[in-house]
Amino acid sequence: MRVDEAEFFNRLLDYRNILYLCHRNADPDAVSSAFALSEALGGTVGLVDGCNRVATVLIDRLGIEVVDKPDPANYGFVVVVDTSTKAQLNDIELTSYCVIDHHTTTALTENAEFFLHRNTTSTVEIVYDILKVMGAPINRRMGIGMLTGIVTDTGHFKHASADTFKTVAKIIEASGVEYGEVLDLMAATPQDISMRIAILKAASRVELDRVGDMIIASSHVSSFGGSASSMLINIGADVAFVGTTKGDSVRVSARAKRDAVNAGVNLGQLMEDISNEYNGTGGGHSGAAGIDIIANMEEVLHKCREMTKKILEKSLGTTAKEISEDEIESNEDEQ
């Protein structure tokens, strides 16, 4: 059952020993949302399978107590935070649980006791509204975490809305945190040498298609697919797909620029549609999404590119074409 912020808070009052469970490789949006709820309502922050580099720094700097790979059976109730698919929880067994999430699509709500879902730019923004309904104070630790969650999930505000900035201003005012403190924390995050190598490999293996002035890029690496797809966007692609494999499982991380989204590309819906063809899981935002399926990676990446090309061809009224090595060299000569 869908509930609003006030009902979400009131229902949680009926439970004791709550676990706020974050998705695998949890990001600052998930961790800080779980932390803020645990500070306001009591309970435990759980990591189903680790967290990313920025979230690791956040946990260390703020002294957030977390439980790694918790067993939901040991808790009175589970709040699944910032998670849209069961695969993101490593298919952990859940019985009595609710969901708070902001992704475009979510498959976890069907069996939930209740859920709070809004299509915001971060889960933190929904959590802030819960805290406001409660009249709960936002201390400095909560403020730093929540601001970091918003900044990272919006791509440093590239995907922010007017409401995002309003919430940021309110958190700063309520917590007394300076925005520069968040930037300093993020700047202190160490760069992983393995990630840098993966990004360079992704760039060297890239395949390109063009629809009008839009460039679709795809590649594959052994890890850090999300970082690699973001890198392809940063260096010139309008839409990027990067595949990684683990056994028979394939994960594709997808990213898109705002111009591509405005032209009709909705990666959250696209990933969900493709995952359904393979009985997998997928979804996310219009500009950032992913899938986990059992399939051939080259086949899936090809399908991602083809479906994106059809969307852009219809929107832009032009035909797609593959960018060849000769065309790349010709363009370099012209420069």
Side-chain angles (χ1 to χ4, degrees):
M1 180 178 68
R2 182 188 293 271
V3 299
D4 61 15
E5 287 79 4
E7 182 68 12
F8 186 88
F9 162 56
N10 288 329
R11 283 177 172 267
L12 285 185
L13 294 177
D14 294 334
Y15 299 96
R16 297 291 180 271
N17 190 23
I18 299 173
L19 172 67
Y20 302 96
L21 188 62
C22 303
H23 56 78
R24 69 186 179 197
N25 195 34
D27 57 14
D29 186 35
V31 170
S32 60
S33 294
F35 172 59
L37 289 171
S38 69
E39 286 283 283
L41 290 161
T44 302
V45 177
L47 304 179
V48 73
D49 192 1
C51 56
N52 69 15
R53 292 173 301 111
V54 181
T56 299
V57 172
L58 192 67
I59 289 170
D60 181 60
R61 291 289 183 90
L62 301 183
I64 300 174
E65 294 185 10
V66 300
V67 175
D68 290 314
K69 299 181 179 178
D71 183 353
N74 295 331
Y75 298 87
F77 192 64
V78 177
V79 179
V80 179
V81 180
D82 189 43
T83 307
S84 60
T85 67
K86 193 174 180 181
Q88 289 180 292
L89 298 175
N90 287 352
D91 294 317
I92 193 171
E93 189 64 34
L94 296 173
T95 52
S96 181
Y97 73 97
C98 71
V99 177
I100 177 170
D101 187 36
H102 73 115
H103 293 92
T104 304
T105 59
T106 179
L108 284 171
T109 56
E110 183 177 350
N111 296 317
E113 299 288 326
F114 55 94
F115 64 92
L116 175 52
H117 176 260
R118 284 197 289 115
N119 190 18
T120 55
T121 59
S122 67
T123 299
V124 164
E125 293 162 66
I126 305 174
V127 170
Y128 171 79
D129 287 337
I130 295 172
L131 300 180
K132 184 171 64 174
V133 167
M134 292 174 57
I138 300 177
N139 60 39
R140 285 185 55 81
R141 293 166 71 218
M142 292 165 65
I144 290 174
M146 293 171 76
L147 290 172
T148 305
I150 291 176
V151 172
T152 53
D153 238 45
T154 60
H156 289 253
F157 299 115
K158 284 190 293 185
H159 304 292
S161 66
D163 287 336
T164 309
F165 288 105
K166 290 176 184 176
T167 301
V168 166
K170 291 172 183 175
I171 293 173
I172 289 174
E173 183 177 10
S175 65
V177 172
E178 295 182 8
Y179 178 58
E181 295 178 67
V182 176
L183 296 183
D184 289 343
L185 181 147
M186 294 174 64
T189 303
Q191 292 293 318
D192 190 301
I193 183 65
S194 299
M195 181 187 73
R196 290 158 56 194
I197 292 172
I199 286 174
L200 291 170
K201 285 185 176 180
S204 68
R205 299 166 178 166
V206 71
E207 293 184 32
L208 302 172
D209 291 289
R210 177 178 174 179
V211 183
D213 289 334
M214 294 278 181
I215 296 175
I216 304 166
S218 68
S219 187
H220 61 93
V221 287
S222 58
S223 58
F224 299 102
S227 298
S229 57
S230 295
M231 175 276 301
L232 292 176
I233 293 295
N234 290 337
I235 63 175
D238 295 283
V239 185
F241 301 98
V242 176
T244 58
T245 58
K246 186 175 182 180
D248 294 330
S249 179
V250 173
R251 174 165 181 80
V252 176
S253 298
R255 300 291 185 270
K257 285 184 178 177
R258 183 174 296 276
D259 286 347
V261 172
N262 291 340
V265 175
N266 183 332
L267 293 177
Q269 189 61 58
L270 186 104
M271 294 290 98
E272 183 178 22
D273 292 342
I274 293 176
S275 69
N276 288 337
E277 293 186 29
Y278 295 91
N279 295 316
T281 57
H285 312 290
S286 55
I291 52 176
D292 288 279
I293 55 179
I294 305 297
N296 176 273
M297 184 170 63
E298 290 185 7
E299 174 186 313
V300 176
L301 288 175
H302 177 74
K303 187 177 291 290
C304 289
R305 293 199 310 272
E306 289 301 308
M307 292 180 69
T308 304
K309 284 192 287 186
K310 288 180 180 179
I311 293 170
L312 292 176
E313 283 175 336
K314 182 177 180 180
S315 173
L316 302 178
T318 186
T319 304
K321 65 176 182 177
E322 185 176 346
I323 300 177
S324 65
E325 289 291 336
D326 290 341
E327 183 178 356
I328 294 173
E329 291 176 2
S330 175
N331 289 336
E332 288 175 346
D333 291 340
E334 291 176 5
Q335 298 299 321

